[in-house]
Coordinates of all heavy atoms in Angstrom, one line a residue:
P35 N 55.1 79.2 33.0 CA 56.0 80.1 32.4 C 56.2 81.3 33.4 O 55.2 81.6 34.2 CB 55.3 80.7 31.2 CG 54.3 79.6 30.9 CD 53.9 79.0 32.1
A36 N 57.4 81.8 33.5 CA 57.7 82.9 34.4 C 57.4 84.1 33.8 O 57.4 84.2 32.5 CB 59.2 82.9 34.7
P37 N 56.9 85.3 34.4 CA 56.5 86.5 33.8 C 57.7 87.0 33.1 O 59.0 86.7 33.4 CB 56.2 87.4 35.0 CG 55.7 86.4 36.1 CD 56.7 85.2 36.0
A38 N 57.5 87.9 32.1 CA 58.6 88.4 31.3 C 59.5 89.3 32.3 O 59.0 90.0 33.1 CB 58.0 89.3 30.3
P39 N 60.9 89.2 32.1 CA 61.7 90.1 32.9 C 61.6 91.5 32.6 O 61.0 91.9 31.5 CB 63.2 89.6 32.4 CG 62.9 88.9 31.1 CD 61.5 88.3 31.1
E40 N 61.9 92.3 33.5 CA 61.7 93.8 33.4 C 62.4 94.3 32.2 O 61.7 95.3 31.6 CB 62.3 94.4 34.7 CG 62.0 95.9 34.8 CD 62.5 96.5 36.1 OE1 62.7 95.8 37.0 OE2 62.7 97.7 36.2
E41 N 63.5 93.8 31.8 CA 64.3 94.5 30.6 C 63.5 94.4 29.2 O 63.7 94.9 28.4 CB 65.6 94.0 30.5 CG 65.7 92.4 30.3 CD 65.8 91.6 31.6 OE1 65.4 92.3 32.7 OE2 66.2 90.5 31.5
L42 N 62.4 93.4 29.3 CA 61.7 93.2 28.0 C 60.4 94.2 28.0 O 59.8 94.2 27.0 CB 61.3 91.8 28.0 CG 62.3 90.8 27.8 CD1 61.7 89.3 27.5 CD2 63.3 91.1 26.6
V43 N 60.1 94.8 29.2 CA 58.8 95.5 29.3 C 59.0 96.9 28.5 O 60.0 97.6 28.8 CB 58.5 95.8 30.7 CG1 57.3 96.7 30.8 CG2 58.2 94.5 31.4
R44 N 58.1 97.2 27.6 CA 58.1 98.4 26.8 C 56.7 98.7 26.4 O 55.8 97.9 26.4 CB 59.0 98.2 25.6 CG 58.5 97.1 24.7 CD 59.6 96.7 23.7 NE 59.1 95.5 22.8 CZ 60.0 95.0 21.9 NH1 61.2 95.4 21.7 NH2 59.6 94.0 21.2
P45 N 56.5 100.0 26.0 CA 55.1 100.4 25.5 C 54.8 99.7 24.1 O 55.8 99.1 23.5 CB 55.3 101.9 25.3 CG 56.4 102.3 26.1 CD 57.4 101.1 26.0
P46 N 53.5 99.6 23.7 CA 53.1 99.1 22.6 C 53.8 99.8 21.3 O 53.9 101.0 21.4 CB 51.6 99.2 22.6 CG 51.3 100.4 23.5 CD 52.4 100.4 24.5
A47 N 54.3 99.0 20.4 CA 54.9 99.6 19.2 C 53.9 100.5 18.4 O 54.3 101.4 17.8 CB 55.5 98.4 18.4
D48 N 52.7 99.9 18.3 CA 51.7 100.6 17.5 C 50.4 100.5 18.3 O 49.7 99.6 18.2 CB 51.5 100.1 16.2 CG 50.6 100.9 15.3 OD1 49.8 101.7 15.8 OD2 50.5 100.7 14.0
P49 N 50.1 101.4 19.2 CA 49.0 101.4 20.1 C 47.6 101.2 19.3 O 46.6 100.6 19.8 CB 48.9 102.8 20.9 CG 50.4 103.1 20.8 CD 50.9 102.7 19.5
R50 N 47.5 101.7 18.1 CA 46.4 101.5 17.3 C 45.8 100.2 17.0 O 44.7 99.9 16.9 CB 46.4 102.4 15.9 CG 46.7 103.8 16.1 CD 47.0 104.4 14.7 NE 48.2 103.8 14.2 CZ 48.5 103.9 12.9 NH1 47.8 104.7 12.1 NH2 49.7 103.4 12.4
V51 N 46.9 99.3 16.9 CA 46.6 97.9 16.6 C 47.0 97.0 17.7 O 46.4 95.8 17.8 CB 47.2 97.4 15.2 CG1 46.7 98.2 14.0 CG2 48.7 97.6 15.4
D52 N 47.9 97.4 18.5 CA 48.3 96.6 19.6 C 47.4 96.5 20.9 O 47.5 95.7 21.7 CB 49.8 96.9 20.1 CG 50.8 96.7 19.1 OD1 50.5 95.9 18.1 OD2 51.9 97.2 19.1
R53 N 46.6 97.7 20.9 CA 45.7 97.6 22.1 C 44.2 97.9 21.5 O 44.0 98.7 20.7 CB 46.0 98.9 22.9 CG 47.4 98.7 23.6 CD 47.4 97.6 24.6 NE 48.9 97.5 25.2 CZ 49.8 96.7 24.7 NH1 49.6 96.0 23.6 NH2 51.0 96.7 25.2
L54 N 43.3 97.2 22.3 CA 41.9 97.3 21.9 C 41.3 98.2 22.9 O 40.3 98.9 22.6 CB 41.3 96.0 21.9 CG 41.7 94.9 21.0 CD1 40.9 93.5 21.2 CD2 41.5 95.5 19.5
L55 N 41.7 98.2 24.2 CA 41.2 99.1 25.2 C 41.6 100.6 24.9 O 42.9 100.8 24.6 CB 41.7 98.7 26.6 CG 41.0 97.5 27.3 CD1 41.7 97.3 28.7 CD2 39.6 97.8 27.4
V56 N 40.8 101.4 25.3 CA 41.1 102.9 25.2 C 40.8 103.5 26.7 O 39.8 103.4 27.2 CB 40.1 103.6 24.2 CG1 40.4 105.1 24.2 CG2 40.3 103.1 22.9
A57 N 42.0 104.1 27.2 CA 42.0 104.7 28.4 C 41.3 103.9 29.5 O 40.3 104.5 30.2 CB 41.3 106.2 28.4
P58 N 41.8 102.7 29.9 CA 41.3 102.0 31.0 C 41.6 102.7 32.3 O 42.5 103.6 32.4 CB 42.0 100.7 31.0 CG 43.3 101.0 30.3 CD 43.0 102.0 29.3
V59 N 40.8 102.4 33.4 CA 41.0 102.9 34.7 C 41.3 102.0 35.7 O 40.8 100.9 35.7 CB 39.6 103.7 35.1 CG1 39.8 104.3 36.5 CG2 39.2 104.7 34.2
F60 N 42.4 102.4 36.4 CA 42.8 101.4 37.5 C 42.8 102.1 38.9 O 43.2 103.2 39.0 CB 44.4 101.0 37.2 CG 44.5 100.2 36.0 CD1 44.7 100.8 34.7 CD2 44.3 98.7 36.0 CE1 44.8 99.9 33.6 CE2 44.5 98.0 35.0 CZ 44.6 98.5 33.7
V61 N 42.1 101.4 39.8 CA 42.2 101.9 41.0 C 43.4 101.2 41.9 O 43.5 100.1 42.0 CB 40.8 101.5 41.9 CG1 40.9 102.0 43.3 CG2 39.6 102.0 41.1
M62 N 44.3 102.1 42.2 CA 45.5 101.7 43.0 C 45.2 101.8 44.5 O 45.0 103.0 44.9 CB 46.7 102.5 42.6 CG 47.1 102.3 41.2 SD 47.8 100.7 40.9 CE 48.2 100.8 39.2
S63 N 45.1 100.8 45.3 CA 44.7 100.8 46.6 C 45.3 99.6 47.4 O 45.6 98.6 46.9 CB 43.2 100.8 46.8 OG 42.7 99.5 46.4
P64 N 45.5 99.9 48.7 CA 45.9 98.8 49.5 C 44.6 97.8 49.8 O 43.6 98.1 49.3 CB 46.3 99.3 50.9 CG 46.4 100.9 50.6 CD 45.5 101.1 49.5
V65 N 45.0 96.6 50.2 CA 43.9 95.7 50.7 C 43.1 96.5 51.7 O 43.5 97.3 52.5 CB 44.5 94.4 51.3 CG1 45.1 93.6 50.1 CG2 45.4 94.7 52.4
R66 N 41.8 96.1 51.9 CA 40.9 96.5 53.0 C 40.8 98.1 53.0 O 40.7 98.6 54.1 CB 41.3 95.9 54.3 CG 41.6 94.4 54.3 CD 40.3 93.6 53.8 NE 39.3 93.7 54.7 CZ 38.1 93.0 54.6 NH1 37.9 92.3 53.5 NH2 37.1 93.2 55.4
S67 N 40.9 98.7 51.8 CA 40.8 100.0 51.9 C 39.5 100.7 51.3 O 39.3 101.9 51.1 CB 41.9 100.6 50.9 OG 41.9 100.2 49.6
G68 N 38.5 99.8 51.0 CA 37.3 100.2 50.5 C 37.1 100.2 49.0 O 36.2 100.7 48.4
S69 N 38.2 99.4 48.4 CA 38.1 99.3 47.0 C 36.8 98.6 46.4 O 36.4 99.0 45.3 CB 39.4 98.7 46.4 OG 39.4 97.4 46.9
T70 N 36.3 97.7 47.1 CA 35.1 96.9 46.5 C 34.0 97.9 46.6 O 33.1 97.8 45.7 CB 34.9 95.7 47.4 OG1 35.9 94.8 47.3 CG2 33.7 95.0 46.9
L71 N 33.8 98.7 47.7 CA 32.7 99.8 47.8 C 32.9 100.7 46.6 O 31.9 101.0 45.9 CB 32.9 100.5 49.0 CG 31.8 101.6 49.2 CD1 30.4 101.2 49.0 CD2 32.1 102.4 50.5
L72 N 34.1 101.2 46.3 CA 34.4 102.2 45.3 C 34.1 101.5 43.9 O 33.3 102.1 43.0 CB 35.8 102.7 45.2 CG 36.1 103.6 44.2 CD1 35.3 104.7 44.2 CD2 37.6 104.1 44.3
R73 N 34.5 100.3 43.6 CA 34.2 99.7 42.3 C 32.7 99.4 42.2 O 32.2 99.5 41.1 CB 35.1 98.4 42.2 CG 34.6 97.2 42.8 CD 33.8 96.3 41.9 NE 33.4 95.1 42.6 CZ 32.4 94.3 42.3 NH1 31.7 94.7 41.2 NH2 32.0 93.2 42.9
S74 N 32.0 99.1 43.3 CA 30.5 98.9 43.2 C 29.8 100.1 42.8 O 28.8 100.2 41.9 CB 30.0 98.4 44.5 OG 30.6 97.2 44.9
M75 N 30.3 101.2 43.3 CA 29.7 102.5 43.0 C 30.0 103.0 41.6 O 29.2 103.4 40.9 CB 30.2 103.6 44.0 CG 29.8 103.4 45.5 SD 30.5 104.4 46.7 CE 29.5 105.9 46.4
L76 N 31.2 102.7 41.2 CA 31.6 103.0 39.8 C 30.9 102.1 38.8 O 30.5 102.5 37.7 CB 33.0 102.9 39.6 CG 34.0 103.8 40.4 CD1 35.4 103.5 40.2 CD2 33.7 105.2 40.1
N77 N 30.7 100.8 39.2 CA 30.0 99.9 38.3 C 28.6 100.3 38.1 O 27.9 99.8 37.1 CB 30.2 98.5 39.0 CG 29.7 97.4 37.9 OD1 30.3 97.4 36.8 ND2 28.9 96.5 38.4
A78 N 28.0 101.1 39.1 CA 26.6 101.5 39.0 C 26.4 102.6 37.9 O 25.3 102.9 37.5 CB 26.0 102.0 40.3
H79 N 27.6 103.0 37.4 CA 27.5 104.1 36.4 C 27.3 103.4 35.1 O 27.9 102.5 34.7 CB 28.8 104.9 36.4 CG 28.7 106.2 35.6 ND1 28.6 106.3 34.2 CD2 28.7 107.6 36.1 CE1 28.6 107.5 33.9 NE2 28.5 108.3 35.0
P80 N 26.5 104.1 34.1 CA 26.1 103.4 32.9 C 27.3 103.3 31.9 O 27.2 102.6 31.0 CB 24.9 104.3 32.3 CG 25.0 105.6 33.0 CD 25.6 105.3 34.4
E81 N 28.3 104.1 32.2 CA 29.5 104.1 31.3 C 30.7 103.4 31.8 O 31.6 103.1 31.1 CB 29.9 105.6 31.0 CG 28.9 106.4 30.1 CD 29.5 107.7 29.7 OE1 30.7 107.9 29.6 OE2 28.6 108.7 29.6
L82 N 30.7 102.9 33.0 CA 31.8 102.3 33.7 C 31.4 100.8 34.0 O 30.4 100.5 34.6 CB 32.2 103.0 34.9 CG 32.6 104.5 34.8 CD1 32.8 105.1 36.2 CD2 33.7 104.8 33.8
H83 N 32.3 100.0 33.6 CA 32.2 98.5 34.0 C 33.4 98.1 35.0 O 34.6 98.2 34.5 CB 32.3 97.6 32.7 CG 32.3 96.1 33.0 ND1 31.2 95.6 34.0 CD2 33.1 95.1 32.7 CE1 31.5 94.3 34.0 NE2 32.6 94.0 33.3
A84 N 33.1 98.0 36.2 CA 34.1 97.6 37.2 C 33.8 96.3 37.8 O 33.1 96.1 38.8 CB 33.9 98.7 38.3
P85 N 34.3 95.3 37.3 CA 34.0 93.8 37.7 C 34.9 93.6 39.0 O 35.5 94.4 39.4 CB 34.5 93.0 36.5 CG 35.5 93.9 35.9 CD 35.2 95.2 36.1
H86 N 34.7 92.2 39.4 CA 35.6 91.8 40.5 C 37.1 92.0 40.2 O 37.4 92.2 39.0 CB 35.2 90.5 40.9 CG 35.4 89.5 39.9 ND1 36.6 89.0 39.5 CD2 34.5 88.8 39.2 CE1 36.5 88.1 38.5 NE2 35.2 88.0 38.4
E87 N 37.9 91.8 41.1 CA 39.3 91.9 40.9 C 39.7 90.8 39.9 O 39.3 89.7 39.9 CB 40.1 91.4 42.2 CG 39.8 92.5 43.3 CD 40.4 92.0 44.7 OE1 41.1 91.0 44.7 OE2 40.0 92.6 45.7
L88 N 40.6 91.3 38.9 CA 40.8 90.5 37.7 C 42.2 89.9 37.7 O 42.4 88.9 37.1 CB 40.7 91.5 36.4 CG 39.3 91.9 36.2 CD1 39.2 93.0 35.0 CD2 38.3 90.8 36.0
H89 N 43.2 90.5 38.4 CA 44.5 89.9 38.5 C 45.2 89.5 37.2 O 45.9 88.6 37.1 CB 44.4 88.6 39.3 CG 44.0 88.8 40.8 ND1 44.8 89.1 41.8 CD2 42.7 88.8 41.3 CE1 44.2 89.4 43.0 NE2 42.9 89.2 42.6
V90 N 44.9 90.4 36.2 CA 45.5 90.0 34.9 C 47.0 90.1 34.8 O 47.7 89.4 34.1 CB 44.9 90.9 33.8 CG1 43.4 90.7 33.5 CG2 45.2 92.4 34.0
R91 N 47.6 90.8 35.7 CA 49.2 90.8 35.7 C 49.7 89.6 36.1 O 51.0 89.4 35.8 CB 49.6 92.0 36.8 CG 49.5 91.5 38.2 CD 50.0 92.5 39.2 NE 50.3 92.0 40.5 CZ 51.4 91.6 41.0 NH1 52.4 91.6 40.2 NH2 51.4 91.2 42.3
R92 N 49.0 88.7 36.5 CA 49.5 87.3 36.8 C 49.4 86.3 35.6 O 49.9 85.2 35.6 CB 48.8 86.7 38.0 CG 49.2 87.4 39.3 CD 50.6 87.3 39.7 NE 50.8 87.7 41.0 CZ 52.0 87.8 41.6 NH1 53.1 87.5 40.9 NH2 52.1 88.3 42.9
L93 N 48.8 86.9 34.5 CA 48.7 86.1 33.3 C 50.1 86.1 32.5 O 50.5 87.3 32.2 CB 47.6 86.6 32.5 CG 46.2 86.5 33.1 CD1 45.1 87.0 32.2 CD2 45.7 85.1 33.5
T94 N 50.7 85.0 32.3 CA 51.9 84.9 31.5 C 51.7 84.1 30.3 O 50.8 83.4 30.1 CB 53.1 84.4 32.5 OG1 52.7 83.0 32.8 CG2 53.2 85.2 33.8
V95 N 52.8 84.2 29.4 CA 52.9 83.4 28.2 C 54.1 82.6 28.1 O 55.1 83.2 28.7 CB 52.6 84.2 26.9 CG1 51.3 85.0 26.9 CG2 53.8 85.2 26.7
G96 N 54.1 81.5 27.5 CA 55.4 80.8 27.3 C 55.5 80.4 25.7 O 54.5 80.2 25.1
F97 N 56.7 80.5 25.2 CA 57.0 80.1 23.8 C 56.8 78.6 23.5 O 56.5 78.3 22.4 CB 58.2 80.7 23.4 CG 58.3 82.2 23.3 CD1 58.9 83.0 24.3 CD2 57.6 82.9 22.3 CE1 59.0 84.3 24.2 CE2 57.6 84.3 22.3 CZ 58.4 84.9 23.3
G98 N 57.2 77.8 24.5 CA 57.1 76.4 24.3 C 58.3 75.8 23.4 O 59.0 74.9 23.9
T99 N 58.6 76.4 22.3 CA 59.8 76.0 21.6 C 60.6 77.1 21.1 O 60.1 78.3 21.0 CB 59.3 75.2 20.3 OG1 58.7 76.1 19.4 CG2 58.4 74.1 20.7
T100 N 61.9 76.9 20.7 CA 62.7 77.9 20.2 C 62.1 78.4 18.8 O 62.3 79.8 18.6 CB 64.1 77.4 20.0 OG1 64.6 76.9 21.2 CG2 65.0 78.5 19.4
L101 N 61.6 77.6 18.1 CA 61.0 78.1 16.9 C 59.8 79.1 17.0 O 59.7 80.1 16.3 CB 60.5 76.9 15.9 CG 61.5 76.1 15.2 CD1 60.9 74.8 14.6 CD2 62.3 76.9 14.3
S102 N 59.0 78.8 18.1 CA 57.8 79.8 18.2 C 58.4 81.1 18.8 O 58.0 82.2 18.4 CB 56.9 79.3 19.3 OG 57.5 79.0 20.6
R103 N 59.5 81.1 19.6 CA 60.0 82.4 20.0 C 60.7 83.1 18.8 O 60.5 84.3 18.8 CB 61.2 82.0 21.0 CG 62.0 83.2 21.6 CD 63.2 82.9 22.4 NE 62.8 82.2 23.6 CZ 62.3 82.8 24.8 NH1 62.4 84.1 24.8 NH2 62.0 82.1 25.8
K104 N 61.3 82.3 18.0 CA 62.0 83.0 16.7 C 60.9 83.6 15.8 O 61.0 84.7 15.4 CB 62.8 82.0 16.0 CG 64.1 81.7 16.7 CD 65.0 80.7 15.8 CE 66.3 80.5 16.5 NZ 67.2 79.6 15.6
A105 N 59.8 82.8 15.8 CA 58.7 83.4 15.0 C 58.0 84.6 15.4 O 57.8 85.6 14.7 CB 57.7 82.2 14.9
M106 N 57.9 84.7 16.7 CA 57.3 85.8 17.4 C 58.3 87.1 17.2 O 58.0 88.2 17.0 CB 57.0 85.7 18.8 CG 55.8 84.7 19.0 SD 54.2 85.3 18.2 CE 54.3 84.4 16.6
E107 N 59.6 86.8 17.4 CA 60.6 87.8 17.3 C 60.6 88.4 15.9 O 60.9 89.6 15.8 CB 61.9 87.2 17.8 CG 62.1 87.0 19.3 CD 63.4 86.3 19.6 OE1 64.2 85.8 18.7 OE2 63.7 86.3 20.8

Side-chain angles (χ1 to χ4, degrees):
E40 185 177 343
E41 59 267 22
L42 296 183
V43 177
R44 58 193 181 186
D48 188 348
R50 296 172 302 168
V51 296
D52 291 347
R53 297 294 178 268
L54 299 177
L55 283 180
V56 176
V59 178
F60 293 90
V61 176
M62 296 288 181
S63 68
V65 292
R66 312 303 294 182
S67 59
S69 60
T70 299
L71 172 62
L72 177 57
R73 79 96 179 158
S74 300
M75 299 172 76
L76 296 178
N77 195 49
H79 195 287
E81 294 189 26
L82 303 176
H83 179 49
H86 59 70
E87 297 170 12
L88 298 174
H89 297 272
V90 292
R91 79 180 186 94
R92 292 298 189 184
L93 300 179
T94 62
V95 301
F97 292 103
T99 67
T100 302
L101 283 176
S102 65
R103 181 186 296 275
K104 289 182 176 180
M106 291 300 100
E107 289 175 349

